[in-house]
Amino acid sequence: QVQLVESGGGLVQAGGSLSLSCSVSGRTFSSYYMDWFRQAPGKGREFVAVISWSYGNAWYADSVKGRFTISRDKAKNTVSLQMNRLKPEDTAVYYCAASTNGALRAPSGMDYWGKGTLVTVSS
């Protein structure tokens, strides 16, 4: 059983930066993959980034590669998403997710979800 709680969303100007945090709790999540997804108004939920909790290996969607950085802090039980050079099209509700599946980076492959935090990028 894993519980996820996101924080850090808000309003930011285009070109600016914002950092999101996901608090992770549970007795057996050391072998999990931790993901960030996002859902813009009127669109489906899409993959943003993933990191393995144990080894810290990371992979990003092409749309955010070079601008976003995912990381995890084992001591604090948190997963972060540092977002730089934000664009209006980054506006979405951002969700933290966890799974044991290292291959399927899609909503159907996730085992646990947070409730999301809203990021709004103004032009």
Side-chain angles (χ1 to χ4, degrees):
Q1 189 71 31
V2 176
Q3 295 81 45
L4 308 171
V5 181
E6 305 95 334
S7 62
L11 176 64
V12 64
Q13 296 182 75
S17 299
L18 197 65
S19 181
L20 306 181
S21 182
C22 174
S23 177
V24 185
S25 62
R27 296 183 179 181
T28 55
F29 59 85
S30 61
S31 63
Y32 279 71
Y33 291 85
M34 307 302 300
D35 291 67
W36 285 98
F37 282 76
R38 67 185 183 185
Q39 187 165 19
K43 298 183 179 180
R45 194 167 298 186
E46 67 173 355
F47 168 77
V48 175
V50 61
I51 189 168
S52 64
W53 185 263
S54 296
Y55 297 100
N57 301 314
W59 185 68
Y60 302 87
D62 289 341
S63 60
V64 306
K65 190 175 297 182
R67 298 189 298 122
F68 291 11
T69 301
I70 188 171
S71 62
R72 91 277 196 246
D73 189 327
K74 292 183 176 181
K76 296 181 179 180
N77 285 345
T78 58
V79 179
S80 299
L81 185 68
Q82 178 64 48
M83 305 182 293
N84 299 321
R85 305 199 309 279
L86 283 161
K87 306 174 181 179
E89 49 263 47
D90 293 319
T91 295
V93 175
Y94 283 71
Y95 298 89
C96 183
S99 75
T100 58
N101 191 332
L104 185 58
R105 304 269 68 80
S108 61
M110 303 297 106
D111 298 316
Y112 304 97
W113 292 94
K115 294 183 178 180
T117 185
L118 177 63
V119 173
T120 302
V121 184
S122 63
S123 60

